[in-house]
Amino acid sequence: MGLSSSPFPWGLLTLALALTVLAFPDETLDKVLKSEGYCSRILRAQGTRREGYNEFSLRVEGDPEFYKPGNSYRVTLSAATPSYFRGFTLIALKENKEGDKEEDHAGTFQIIDEEETQFMSNCPVAVTESTPRRRTRIQVFWTAPPAGTGCVILKASIVQKRIIYFQDEGSLTKKLCEQDSTFNGVTDRPILDCCACGTAKYRLTFYGNWSEKTHPKDYPRRANHWSAIIGGSHSKNYVLWEYGGYASEGVKQVAELGSPVKMEEEIRQQSDEVLTVIKAKAQWPAWQPLNVRAAPSAEFSVDRTRHLMSFLTMLGPSPDWNVGLSAEDLCTKECGWVQKVVQDLIPWDAGTDSGVTYESPNKPTIPQEKIRPLTSLDHPQSPFYDPEGGSITQVARVVIERIARKGEQCNIVPDNIDDIVADLAPEEKDEDDTPETCIYSNWSPWSACSSSTCDKGKRMRQRMLKAQLDLSVPCPDTQDFQPCMGPGCSDEDGSTCTMSEWITWSPCSISCGIGMRSRERYVKQFPEDGSVCTVPTEETEKCTVNEECSPSSCLTTEWGEWDECSATCGMGMRKRHRMIKMSPADGSMCKAETSEVEKCMMPECHTIPCLLSAWSEWSDCSVSCGKGMRTRQRMLKSLAELGDCNEELEQVEKCMLPECPIDCELTEWSQWSECNKSCGKGHVIRTRMIKMEPQFGGAPCPETVQRKKCRIRKCLRNPLIQKMRWREVRENRRSEALKEEADGEQFPGCRMRPWTAWSECTKLCGGGIQERYMTVKKRFKSSQFTSCKDKKEIRACNVHPC
């Protein structure tokens, strides 16, 4: 509807923070009203817009008209190319409420990308941009309010340049009413019929971004992959999967086993409601650079009744986690076909297994729960857990591009030059419109088609301009092009029977022993001449899950796709993997192999002069303990006459073994002490100090004190003789004291022994300490000083850094 200057009737929340940051001129606002309500600012915008102008749109995934209380929905605000917006406000109000009270708002928003969106600081129930910049799309989750709320209005305002757009109806407003509890479905499907004419052809391209770099927590380095993509273009009467619904058996097998067989069977059973089955190969490993492996893609068509597209693929290994789109509508309200859809994907839970980590053991969910998006607050052990409740980093992106339109179109305005070319059907030229004044040679035969498959290609023919009789009359081109397909796919071959690729093998018919498995393909195009297709559409083969069935047997998944060959030419090796789904019942270890290797042959290496063998195993470390080196080699296998090879033939790297043992280290023994008796039996001692304690299992320290007996002389019992002996001893001691006064170091009240040598440094680098000691040799009896005691000195050593 057109925009007027009257006050906004439903109380649109002002993007106050954004307007401050963007510093928009005052003339962009007619007036900012202040109130004492829950959200204190209400915006009145001014300007005029053309009736029905829809450059901006607010969309709820699946385009439902009813909501299920408590369910979560993805909400997208987008601008059509080449438009953009800088700021926005998004709110959800109960019908007929102004929004100035807390109870006027319905449901809760959940931020997906914190760099793009945030809650408003002055109105926390509303969502606004995180930073003011040009953008064309934002997404948030909205959780529906509890039962009894009634209808809810989702509303958005857009700030573009100096103009603030809003609508009370139309593309920036969505009304969702509460689903009747008697309704058996889970989420209302789109009820608007498509008004587009003809058909449109699309290409789906899947970009998996799930890697150890983007999702490092508990990332499964072994066997990470995306399962084969399965889906279809269908009508509104058929649901492949949906949030709030229950997974079918086909969805369950994709979610838990990565097998699309049952899902494809379910889709084909709905042949009246399905136009195209969408399939693309699995990806092992989950992520590789695009210059190494192209993103998987598939083409499909839509028409007026089957204008919705759904698909899913398993993120593996996982309990039952998938990504995909549900009921993506490719029909526009203007009776045309959507040109391009780009959607970032987060994983969702199929509700069939209760595991919380990538490699959780099987734990069936009984009773089965509803499909729901994973969140960062599901479980502390979840790889997506964030205690702050942030958004989950997207794991994939899907791009859906329109590549052609066929038949008479209602909306004939092309979006770009590619559409003009794609929409032009080749016309047969019954008459030669070459001017008579241009003389040409005959056309050459048509060249081979540029495509060797059933994808569209081109072929060309040429002619020569021999003469131009009238220079004022231009002559047409000398080259002519025509669309074509590879051999066996041409529309001109009336008897051609075009087949699809084989789908993946079904699970083995038994869980243990030798059984059978099958795979199918289908006829994409029957012969136009009415002949019968004789090409087989099904084949079977034997399969072995476990050769011996016993309580020690375990259940495994099917083998995954083979990895790329290890060699770019000649003979190489390739691997494939599978996972253990159920451990043996008796608690023993599963003996089934989870990886398989086989030889692979690439084109001969005639043009590659440098052909090398594989690297040998690393040699043993050069030392038996501590740090050393190890090497490995490879050999030159190509002949010398083919050219020189500059590739390295030997590699060396460091290796570390357990630390070498360090034995205990001791100082030398000291001199023997004096005998502790002046007569009779006594003993003398000597000591040594520990310089290095034993480390890493080294030899322990031996004794540090030794004692031996001493005997000076026999003690006499005669008191006179004893007295004479004591006098003699005192005299000897006095003479020794006089002698020591000349040798030792004198301190007040005592005589000290010389300083010992400095001890070993306590550290080899980084700063250690050394110690030395001076002990008291003799204290004088007449000394009154209490400071006569052993002395110790400390100094720094080995201060250089390690």
Side-chain angles (χ1 to χ4, degrees):
M1 62 179 289
L3 186 68
S4 68
S5 59
S6 60
F8 200 14
W10 43 268
L12 180 66
L13 305 176
T14 307
L15 205 168
L17 177 60
L19 293 178
T20 303
V21 175
L22 292 170
F24 291 121
D26 292 339
E27 59 267 20
T28 62
L29 302 178
D30 181 30
K31 191 174 185 181
V32 176
L33 301 178
K34 295 184 178 179
S35 70
E36 297 179 356
Y38 179 64
C39 294
S40 61
R41 294 177 183 265
I42 298 175
L43 178 67
R44 175 193 288 179
Q46 65 177 5
T48 58
R49 296 175 57 195
R50 298 199 303 271
E51 188 75 23
Y53 190 59
N54 292 317
E55 59 181 317
F56 304 111
S57 65
L58 179 65
R59 182 174 180 269
V60 179
E61 184 177 18
D63 293 328
E65 292 212 353
F66 296 91
Y67 68 83
K68 186 73 176 292
N71 276 13
S72 295
Y73 301 87
R74 189 190 301 268
V75 179
T76 303
L77 181 61
S78 60
T81 305
S83 298
Y84 64 90
F85 56 94
R86 295 181 181 274
F88 71 93
T89 304
L90 182 61
I91 59 172
L93 296 174
K94 296 177 183 177
E95 191 174 24
N96 300 321
K97 297 295 182 180
E98 295 298 323
D100 56 351
K101 299 177 182 178
E102 182 177 2
E103 56 267 23
D104 290 354
H105 297 261
T108 55
F109 288 105
Q110 179 181 341
I111 302 298
I112 295 178
D113 187 349
E114 294 180 348
E115 294 184 359
E116 287 286 341
T117 55
Q118 67 177 2
F119 293 106
M120 289 185 69
S121 58
N122 62 333
C123 184
V125 294
V127 178
T128 186
E129 78 280 357
S130 296
T131 54
R133 62 176 181 81
R134 289 192 177 194
R135 50 174 55 82
T136 58
R137 184 172 65 99
I138 63 96
Q139 288 184 333
V140 295
F141 277 122
W142 176 70
T143 301
T149 303
C151 294
V152 175
I153 311 295
L154 293 171
K155 297 184 177 183
S157 68
I158 291 292
V159 179
Q160 185 199 43
K161 296 181 180 178
R162 300 181 179 180
I163 306 170
I164 299 175
Y165 295 111
F166 65 89
Q167 287 184 307
D168 198 18
E169 295 178 359
S171 62
L172 288 178
T173 300
K174 293 292 179 183
K175 178 179 178 180
L176 300 176
C177 290
E178 185 177 344
Q179 182 177 294
D180 189 346
S181 60
T182 61
F183 184 64
N184 294 327
V186 288
T187 302
D188 182 50
R189 311 306 304 159
I191 60 172
L192 293 178
D193 291 329
C194 176
C195 59
C197 302
T199 63
K201 188 173 184 180
Y202 288 87
R203 178 181 292 112
L204 177 151
T205 306
F206 182 84
Y207 299 94
N209 301 327
W210 176 53
S211 67
E212 188 172 11
K213 182 178 180 181
T214 59
H215 298 79
K217 182 181 179 184
D218 300 333
Y219 186 78
R221 297 185 178 181
R222 180 178 63 86
N224 60 81
H225 67 285
W226 292 104
S227 72
I229 292 173
I230 184 68
S233 56
H234 56 93
S235 72
K236 63 183 179 180
N237 299 322
Y238 176 51
V239 179
L240 273 77
W241 71 272
E242 63 180 348
Y243 289 127
Y246 290 98
S248 66
E249 182 60 30
V251 173
K252 178 182 178 181
Q253 289 195 16
V254 173
E256 294 189 10
L257 303 176
S259 172
V261 177
K262 183 64 177 177
M263 187 76 250
E264 183 173 357
E265 179 183 328
E266 291 180 0
I267 295 172
R268 294 194 182 282
Q269 288 174 352
Q270 301 287 332
S271 57
D272 292 340
E273 307 297 336
V274 175
L275 180 60
T276 309
V277 178
I278 300 171
K279 296 190 296 182
K281 291 183 178 181
Q283 299 179 83
W284 292 77
W287 181 87
Q288 282 187 325
L290 293 177
N291 60 352
V292 175
R293 182 183 67 196
S297 63
E299 294 182 1
F300 64 95
S301 299
V302 292
D303 61 17
R304 176 177 288 189
T305 58
R306 293 159 292 189
H307 52 93
L308 306 176
M309 189 280 295
S310 302
F311 82 94
L312 69 156
T313 174
M314 179 193 76
L315 174 151
S318 69
D320 58 345
W321 300 341
N322 309 263
V323 299
L325 291 181
S326 175
E328 184 70 27
D329 195 350
L330 299 175
C331 181
T332 68
K333 294 181 179 179
E334 293 75 29
C335 301
W337 298 109
V338 173
Q339 182 184 357
K340 187 174 184 179
V341 175
V342 179
Q343 190 77 274
D344 290 331
L345 305 175
I346 65 169
W348 48 268
D349 190 306
T352 61
D353 192 292
S354 300
V356 295
T357 66
Y358 289 124
E359 300 183 271
S360 292
N362 275 357
K363 188 179 180 182
T365 302
I366 301 174
Q368 183 175 334
E369 295 179 351
K370 296 178 180 179
I371 295 174
R372 64 172 184 85
L374 294 179
T375 72
S376 59
L377 295 174
D378 285 338
H379 194 281
Q381 294 181 2
S382 167
F384 306 106
Y385 181 72
D386 181 355
E388 297 181 358
S391 60
I392 293 180
T393 302
Q394 54 98 357
V395 297
R397 170 174 290 182
V398 62
V399 178
I400 303 171
E401 294 181 280
R402 194 181 73 215
I403 55 177
R405 290 183 290 197
K406 294 183 180 180
E408 183 178 352
Q409 300 289 317
C410 307
N411 183 347
I412 60 172
V413 180
D415 299 298
N416 53 42
I417 190 64
D418 293 333
D419 282 338
I420 298 175
V421 175
D423 294 340
L424 288 177
E427 297 180 358
E428 296 292 335
K429 297 182 179 180
D430 297 331
E431 298 182 2
D432 187 1
D433 56 357
T434 303
E436 296 179 354
T437 56
C438 299
I439 309 300
Y440 288 94
S441 67
N442 292 328
W443 285 105
S444 68
W446 286 104
S447 68
C449 189
S450 62
S451 171
S452 59
T453 66
C454 291
D455 293 332
K456 285 188 176 180
K458 291 182 181 180
R459 63 177 183 172
M460 181 189 72
R461 63 178 181 175
Q462 295 178 310
R463 61 181 177 178
M464 294 179 60
L465 179 61
K466 293 183 175 181
Q468 187 173 0
L469 304 181
D470 187 351
L471 297 179
S472 64
V473 178
C475 292
D477 294 334
T478 58
Q479 292 182 332
D480 188 19
F481 295 90
Q482 191 179 68
C484 61
M485 291 185 286
C489 302
S490 174
D491 295 334
E492 298 174 0
D493 187 356
S495 62
T496 296
C497 186
T498 305
M499 306 298 295
S500 69
E501 296 290 333
W502 288 104
I503 63 174
T504 54
W505 287 103
S506 68
C508 201
S509 59
I510 61 175
S511 61
C512 192
I514 300 176
M516 299 296 294
R517 66 176 185 174
S518 63
R519 64 177 183 176
E520 298 177 343
R521 59 180 177 178
Y522 61 94
V523 179
K524 294 178 67 175
Q525 180 178 332
F526 287 94
E528 295 182 0
D529 59 5
S531 59
V532 178
C533 253
T534 59
V535 182
T537 59
E538 182 177 2
E539 64 179 14
T540 59
E541 70 173 16
K542 292 182 179 180
C543 54
T544 302
V545 179
N546 289 310
E547 294 182 358
E548 298 180 1
C549 296
S550 66
S552 62
S553 301
C554 54
L555 181 62
T556 62
T557 64
E558 292 296 312
W559 287 107
E561 299 289 336
W562 286 103
D563 293 343
E564 293 183 2
C565 193
S566 61
T568 56
C569 67
M571 182 71 72
M573 304 297 290
R574 63 178 185 173
K575 291 183 179 181
R576 65 177 181 175
H577 306 274
R578 63 180 177 179
M579 294 183 296
I580 298 172
K581 291 297 291 182
M582 186 176 295
S583 299
D586 60 4
S588 61
M589 293 293 292
C590 183
K591 298 179 181 180
E593 296 291 336
T594 57
S595 62
E596 192 174 56
V597 181
E598 73 171 14
K599 295 180 180 179
C600 51
M601 177 63 75
M602 301 299 286
E604 294 185 14
C605 304
H606 295 305
T607 59
I608 302 178
C610 191
L611 184 60
L612 301 167
S613 69
W615 284 106
S616 67
E617 296 294 328
W618 285 103
S619 66
D620 293 333
C621 201
S622 60
V623 296
S624 58
C625 61
K627 296 180 181 179
M629 305 296 289
R630 65 176 186 172
T631 61
R632 66 175 182 175
Q633 295 84 26
R634 58 181 175 178
M635 298 175 59
L636 181 64
K637 297 173 65 176
S638 55
L639 299 176
E641 54 266 24
L642 293 179
D644 296 329
C645 181
N646 296 323
E647 297 291 334
E648 61 178 347
L649 301 179
E650 185 177 45
Q651 287 183 340
V652 181
E653 71 172 14
K654 296 178 181 179
C655 54
M656 171 65 80
L657 294 177
E659 294 286 348
C660 298
I662 299 177
D663 296 336
C664 178
E665 287 186 29
L666 299 156
T667 62
E668 294 296 325
W669 286 106
S670 66
Q671 296 296 324
W672 288 102
S673 68
E674 293 180 357
C675 191
N676 67 333
K677 296 289 182 66
S678 60
C679 66
K681 295 180 179 180
H683 66 266
V684 293
I685 62 171
R686 66 174 181 175
T687 61
R688 56 181 174 179
M689 298 177 62
I690 296 175
K691 295 168 62 178
M692 176 73 71
E693 293 284 351
Q695 299 182 48
F696 312 115
C701 293
E703 61 182 354
T704 57
V705 178
Q706 284 185 345
R707 176 182 305 195
K708 70 179 182 179
K709 295 179 180 179
C710 62
R711 185 167 184 171
I712 306 299
R713 56 184 168 272
K714 196 171 184 179
C715 294
L716 300 179
R717 296 180 180 274
N718 190 321
L720 293 175
I721 298 176
Q722 183 72 17
K723 188 174 182 180
M724 291 175 61
R725 294 293 187 191
W726 278 112
R727 188 181 296 117
E728 186 181 299
V729 169
R730 284 197 298 270
E731 299 244 341
N732 289 338
R733 289 181 177 176
R734 189 177 295 112
S735 62
E736 287 178 5
L738 293 174
K739 182 180 178 181
E740 288 173 357
E741 288 180 3
D743 299 337
E745 191 165 347
Q746 185 70 40
F747 280 82
C750 60
R751 179 165 299 281
M752 310 295 290
R753 287 190 175 89
W755 286 103
T756 64
W758 288 103
S759 67
E760 291 290 329
C761 194
T762 57
K763 292 185 179 180
L764 299 177
C765 59
I769 60 172
Q770 287 179 302
E771 299 175 341
R772 69 174 183 175
Y773 299 89
M774 176 186 284
T775 58
V776 175
K777 188 172 183 180
K778 183 177 181 181
R779 290 183 176 84
F780 300 141
K781 293 183 178 179
S782 60
S783 173
Q784 299 298 319
F785 293 92
T786 60
S787 61
C788 188
K789 57 179 68 176
D790 294 345
K791 298 185 182 298
K792 175 182 176 181
E793 282 188 349
I794 299 175
R795 70 178 183 183
C797 57
N798 292 339
V799 294
H800 57 278
C802 295

